[in-house]
């Protein structure tokens, strides 16, 4: 298991979907940052799935902070966040105990660990991401001080390209339609980070694009990532792909951003743009072919109960959080935010 | 700088394109592996660019091994590889000393480090990858003992889809055509790893897909990665996306491989499939807009000399090497290959 | 902050002495290990200070396990342990808010972090070690399966050499005598690890002796470490220092163990022996010279309340725990215990 | 193998004593540092053993720098240093091929790696440290810019306490006397670092004392370390052990330095003081008891040839280097030296 991410701003997560709680330990947040548990809870409430294409399950996000804060400000010690799990019923998973669900991690976890918690995905559940979102709230707060913000939007849903609110409505309708057929659907999310200084990223193996890529590809259900124009680059010519370098108001800038804010793995100062694709949630109501591991014989399974039918909106929140974690880490590694105490960060205000 | 990759099988690379040499230090290769310098040189000779779309420049890949081998076999100590650089002429870069080339890392490196070697890309040059290929040769040798092999093929070139040799011919012709116009072009490469055991990868932040993603996105010019069906998942339904689980000859297998060999970040035992896109090399002969950093004024540049016009074939070799490095590391981390000595690896032969 | 230790068996600790709770996250324990919360509580009860030379304060070690266990066995996911803090009164620390206590970390933490929790040592308190002991309980359990055990004994206390129980009684009497004068005292503890296989340790920077040294020197109050004969080596000749290599019952062994179980940073198979010294607890009742940081003027302080007057017995427990953590990590790194699942640990039973 | 040390200022070493060369790769040195190969060679020439108690062997320290420098200054890329080995005769080791030398790492390396280079210690040889000294020269240069200097002195040699030059003379005479009897001897070295800012070190597992301890205990032959008064603390009372906190010229300082410059694992601003003991070199001329591994039978060995009889002076140089590496790393980690470029280090000049 590798449940820690980051070099200077480090996050460790723990918890299973049907265990007593989920949690995160954030180590390396500088002292002196105003932080209240409400800010974390607010971010977690974004993680509640969209009611129309999600489960309607009420998440009880009663997050608590157990360490690292004194008199309303961080003190440089690890910030431990605990989020109790509600009383999820696990009995519906009982029939799946010996039968891995297609598209889920049931089989690979069983092979790797032998003894597993077979109830509802356990640590491979989407529920695991709540720890990431909680930690991400702290990263976002820190980035905000430095003028860096992280946002996202859905650019494709249930097979339909989404360009505006109207397009999103149509795509949601399509996702609901599929859900009513017992099917699930996927989508694509674009994450955009604004306000970054140029100079973040550590060639040749700690490039910003590589670490952001790992963070986003490490989210369950994410199957691809494009940086800037991404795959589109493959069909361009050099003169289409190269962003012209300009001077504007005495400052260097670029005429376009096909690079997506990264050149040579280092931030250019333009928006950092990454687009990920989300596979359909594997939980569908239709019968599927699998194997009973106790007998070694084929077995048809039907997954019952209510499930998210499209987790793209939820993944968007997680993707923003992961981007925030990676960038907070790099802002500290590159000296734009001081690792121990905010007061000592002279670079913070003068990029 | 972060020039080391891997946790148990660790590779550190060094060297600038116009310095005296390039090198790699491979730490964590178990003792007892037969290894000769010829095997490394053979792999390096694959890195010579395709003469028709490349530079025709003769690389002098006179690699030497300076440590870690005794009587023809590894001894568990770091293997230091040194590859002398030929006498590259750097004078042609003189006019670019103060003017960053569009699409290159010139500007971001200047911002980050202040004092840089401005000759021909320095460490952001494609030449840097020769160290990775040298280290990759050792990883491949190790993987071979465990029955794991890494291959690749070009699936798109110069804007044309490539399905077979004939398609490749046509695409190369197109790339040459563009080169004659002073332009460059890109492509896409599919890396396939066969023979992997199920169980590689460490959730939730050391997933095989995430670490492979970082390794491939960390190659200069790579702008996207798809795992298995990748972006295609976004438009699928759950029943299209889920690979059925079957029994075949008493062994569990899958009816398809849209997952690309990874579920929940852990290998399934099916082929690991990743497709990357390669942007056009930024070196083109056409005039381009940039800025003279010494004056802060706009400046039009024309890059002279002979350059690779399409580096897709070269990136394919590097991508294979990076995949091999990640997998050798995971084979050791997961106990399939022993980290200290080959003789002690009982799991090696019974997956 | 660096609150994570270990490479494959990794422990992250969190919590301040006067915050709501302390905790540890153990990542990298293989699946399939029988583990109950009682085993952790039992180990924590060893951490209660000796009543005669300690505080008599009742620690409420109501540890809980929040993740990583299912049906009584580990599942390979992070094991999160939470230990609530009792209602410690912090008002007695109020006068010290601006005045660093000599011998404590008050001043250095203030310099480093700026904003600190000034109540009772916060994360520099001995209370922090309870997280280490909780994690250590898991490491010991794992080591036990492989036949490795960790013990310790006090070899010096309050300035008196301790050779047996009678000597310990006399030394405790001396420590109490000093405590009655308002003074504190120190001691020395010898940690012995038995049952280790030869071959643990990773030259040249991950030697067993170096990592054990860091783990033990990282315990608050520890100011020296000797491996085997340690400092005594300085006055020996080579023939006194070299342990003869013998054959006994067809197995290689050593005629003595001045090396303390490590040669070249790798375990020899003999007992691993490390002796640490513990400085007197800095909390004494006598007036001491310090500085009021708010005025910059000298200030004499007298620390009131009840404190441990000799923490040597308590440090002994922590030292055993740290040794166990380091060794569990190395047993996994060296392949003697499998990192993911116990069933796959072929080396475990046949060293 | 773990041949990399440091988090931000990272050093990887490679090379065997009887291979073609030794080397180090220094990754994370900021750009803009004036550095010439002569500075490294000068430091290496300090590593030549004292002729009277050493071997008299001429080391050919023709170090070269192969990367990371352009126009006399660092560029932020890895600095690769190569030091060719002279033509050491290895035939004298032939009789020891199957017989581990007592006190050496021959046996443990054989157990761990199976296939080893049996010639003269290979990577467990003192020769390995030349890579550390080369890297240390760069760390010292960097520290010098920040006003930090590292020195050492021998405080015990061949069983005699050394207080001044006269004492050293007498001790050297004793060491020579022992050498003439075929024996070797040890000693103790005190390393002192001056000019450090307060605030270096990362509790709870990255304390300055712990990482310095690991670095020094990781030197071959070092068997103990004392921080400040070290073991002496065990017999002190609290009022003896606590250093009074004073104001001097408006600045906070301490009345004494029994702490050795570290409180709670963080530097106090006083001199950092660590004393290590060096065991007698295991190479002696007297007959010793060992085992022939090919037959499993006892075998008496006599090590022929000329060897260092006391390596204390040599270890002193290595210890300084290791201290410099740890401190350069911490100066960067704590933001006193910028990790990418010297120009951006505003904290550097105002501690």
């Amino acid at each position: 298991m590798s449940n820690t991410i980051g070099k200077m701003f480090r996050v460790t997560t723990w918890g299973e979907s049907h265990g007593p709680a989920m949690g995160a330990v954030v180590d390396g947040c500088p002292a002196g940052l105003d932080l209240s548990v409400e800010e974390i809870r607010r971010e977690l409430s974004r993680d509640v799935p969209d009611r129309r294409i999600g489960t309607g399950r009420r998440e009880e996000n009663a997050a608590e902070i157990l360490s690292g804060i004194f008199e309303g400000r961080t003190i440089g010690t690890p910030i431990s966040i605990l989020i109790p799990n509600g009383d999820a019923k696990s009995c519906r998973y009982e029939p799946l105990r010996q039968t891995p669900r297609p598209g889920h991690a049931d089989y690979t976890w069983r092979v790797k660990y032998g003894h597993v918690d077979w109830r509802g995905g356990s640590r491979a559940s989407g529920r695991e991401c709540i720890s990431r979102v909680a930690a991400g709230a702290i990263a976002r707060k820190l980035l905000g001080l430095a003028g860096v913000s992280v946002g996202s939007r859905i650019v494709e849903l249930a097979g339909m390209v989404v360009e505006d609110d109207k397009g999103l409505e149509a795509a949601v309708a399509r996702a609901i339609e599929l859900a009513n057929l017992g099917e699930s659907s996927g989508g694509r999310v674009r994450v955009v980070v604004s306000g970054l200084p140029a100079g973040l990223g550590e060639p040749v193996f700690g490039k910003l694009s590589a670490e952001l890529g790992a963070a986003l590809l490490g989210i369950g259900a994410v199957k691809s990532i494009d940086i800037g124009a991404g795959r589109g680059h493959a069909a361009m010519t050099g003169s289409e792909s190269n962003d012209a370098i300009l001077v504007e108001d005495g400052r260097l800038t670029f005429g376009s951003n096909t690079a997506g804010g990264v050149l040579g793995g280092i931030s250019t100062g333009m928006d950092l743009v990454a687009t990920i694709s989300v596979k359909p949630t594997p939980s569908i109501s239709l019968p599927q072919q699998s194997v009973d591991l106790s007998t070694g014989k084929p077995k048809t399974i039907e997954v019952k109960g209510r499930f998210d039918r499209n987790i793209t909106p939820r993944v968007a929140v997680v993707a923003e959080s992961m981007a925030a974690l990676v960038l907070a880490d790099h802002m500290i590694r590159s000296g734009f935010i001081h690792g121990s105490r905010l007061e000592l960060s002279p670079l913070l205000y003068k990029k």
Side-chain angles (χ1 to χ4, degrees), chain A:
Chain A
M1 296 288 290
S2 286
N3 294 282
T4 300
I5 191 168
K7 284 196 179 174
M8 300 284 280
F9 186 91
R10 280 184 307 283
V11 174
T12 301
T13 68
W14 56 267
E16 288 84 44
S17 61
H18 287 69
M22 314 301 290
V25 181
V26 178
D27 192 13
C29 183
L33 179 72
D34 282 312
L35 189 70
S36 74
V37 72
E38 280 70 32
E39 293 170 285
I40 290 170
R41 289 179 184 159
R42 205 175 307 137
E43 189 72 18
L44 292 181
S45 70
R46 294 184 61 205
D47 189 32
V48 174
D50 186 293
R51 295 299 151 95
R52 293 168 304 176
I53 52 179
T55 57
R57 181 162 57 121
R58 173 186 291 274
E59 306 278 321
E60 296 181 53
N61 295 329
E64 292 171 71
I65 297 179
L66 296 176
S67 67
I69 310 278
F70 179 63
E71 296 180 343
R73 287 191 294 152
T74 58
I75 54 174
T77 61
I79 304 167
S80 177
I81 303 168
L82 184 145
I83 308 150
N85 284 330
D87 287 327
K89 297 214 176 70
S90 54
C91 50
R92 67 174 178 183
Y93 294 103
E94 185 68 44
L96 304 173
R97 189 163 188 164
Q98 295 295 344
T99 312
R101 294 165 297 170
H104 278 281
D106 298 352
Y107 169 64
T108 52
W109 274 67
R110 178 72 77 96
V111 168
K112 188 173 187 76
Y113 298 108
H115 178 57
V116 298
D117 179 350
W118 42 267
R119 300 168 304 169
S122 181
R123 194 151 170 74
S125 160
R127 175 75 178 160
E128 177 268 322
C129 290
I130 200 168
S131 302
R132 307 186 187 200
V133 176
I138 299 175
R140 294 173 90 113
K141 185 80 189 280
L142 201 53
L143 290 172
L145 292 185
V148 178
S149 63
V150 182
S152 71
R153 68 182 194 82
I154 294 174
V155 295
E156 185 180 327
L157 193 83
M160 298 174 70
V161 172
V162 172
E163 271 164 4
D164 52 19
D165 286 356
K166 209 171 133 189
L168 184 57
E169 279 305 307
V172 167
R174 174 69 184 140
I176 293 171
E177 204 170 272
L178 286 166
N180 291 338
L181 299 171
E183 275 285 13
S184 61
S185 54
R188 296 182 77 220
V189 171
R190 182 157 300 143
V191 176
V192 178
V193 187
S194 303
L196 284 178
L200 299 180
E202 298 173 358
V204 296
F205 295 124
K207 290 180 176 178
L208 188 57
S209 38
E211 296 199 2
L212 180 66
L216 295 178
L217 283 169
I219 302 171
V222 171
K223 297 300 282 186
S224 76
I225 177 169
D226 293 81
I227 305 289
R231 186 197 292 193
H233 280 284
M236 291 179 182
T237 60
S239 57
E240 290 164 341
S241 169
N242 291 351
D243 301 308
I245 303 176
L246 310 176
V247 191
E248 219 171 76
D249 302 332
R251 298 186 54 175
L252 186 148
T253 185
F254 295 85
S256 51
N257 190 20
T258 66
V262 196
L263 279 175
I266 301 173
S267 65
T268 61
M270 301 291 281
D271 282 357
L272 182 65
V273 181
T275 309
I276 55 175
S277 61
V278 180
K279 75 171 185 175
T281 173
S283 295
I284 56 176
S285 312
L286 308 177
Q288 295 182 88
Q289 194 65 1
S290 185
V291 174
D292 184 322
L293 297 177
S294 61
T295 64
K297 299 248 168 79
K299 185 171 171 185
T300 298
I301 60 167
E302 289 179 59
V303 183
K304 278 161 192 159
R306 303 188 61 189
F307 298 97
D308 290 338
R309 292 306 185 195
N310 190 309
I311 54 168
T312 311
R314 185 185 273 232
V315 169
V317 175
V318 181
E320 287 184 30
S321 300
M322 294 309 296
L325 294 180
V326 168
L327 288 163
D329 188 36
H330 273 280
M331 288 291 281
I332 294 174
R333 283 156 67 175
S334 292
F336 289 98
I337 297 177
H338 192 275
S340 303
R341 47 191 292 184
L342 286 183
E343 301 98 298
L344 287 179
S345 314
L347 297 172
L348 187 61
Y349 309 102
K350 49 168 181 168
K351 41 156 191 158

